[in-house]
Amino acid sequence: QLYRSVSIDHRRLPDLSILPCKYDQQYVIEHEQYCNLYHVCKQGNYHLFACISNGEDNQPTSYFYQPNGQCAAPLPTLCPRTKSVFSYGRLLATANSEI
């Protein structure tokens, strides 16, 4: 099972919180509301990413893990109850096309 990141157009999802990203900043951190989203900032260039799986086995999402900065299998124990999973359907509707 493989997992990958897709870039999300956060401007089309105004309800999603984003973080400030200054030209001298660089970070990759998990989203504070959703286990399958994460923030990336590189020298003032901000992106919101979502973790998804390539599989066809009704597991369309995956979680972002801060310790290694990777997308991986969605284990409920690693998604605290204070967070949720952002709707897969809404993610795909706003994913930036890679074509």
Side-chain angles (χ1 to χ4, degrees):
Q1 181 76 338
L2 295 171
Y3 306 96
R4 62 188 175 97
S5 300
V6 290
S7 177
I8 300 301
D9 186 354
H10 58 85
R11 292 166 300 209
R12 294 170 64 183
L13 296 167
D15 53 323
L16 275 179
S17 61
I18 61 170
L19 296 178
C21 178
K22 299 188 175 76
Y23 71 93
D24 60 346
Q25 284 183 303
Q26 188 157 325
Y27 59 75
V28 176
I29 53 174
E30 56 193 292
H31 197 276
E32 55 283 354
Q33 292 170 280
Y34 300 100
C35 291
N36 56 333
L37 303 182
Y38 63 99
H39 309 277
V40 175
C41 172
K42 288 184 180 171
Q43 284 90 35
N45 197 3
Y46 174 85
H47 289 284
L48 183 66
F49 284 92
C51 289
I52 65 170
S53 69
N54 291 334
E56 310 263 326
D57 58 354
N58 296 321
Q59 284 287 338
T61 192
S62 72
Y63 293 169
F64 175 74
Y65 294 111
Q66 186 67 42
N68 63 8
Q70 302 285 317
C71 293
L75 297 174
T77 53
L78 292 170
C79 190
R81 291 187 178 170
T82 53
K83 291 187 177 189
S84 55
V85 174
F86 195 74
S87 161
Y88 189 62
R90 288 187 70 200
L91 286 178
L92 286 192
T94 56
N96 292 333
S97 173
E98 296 172 20
I99 298 170

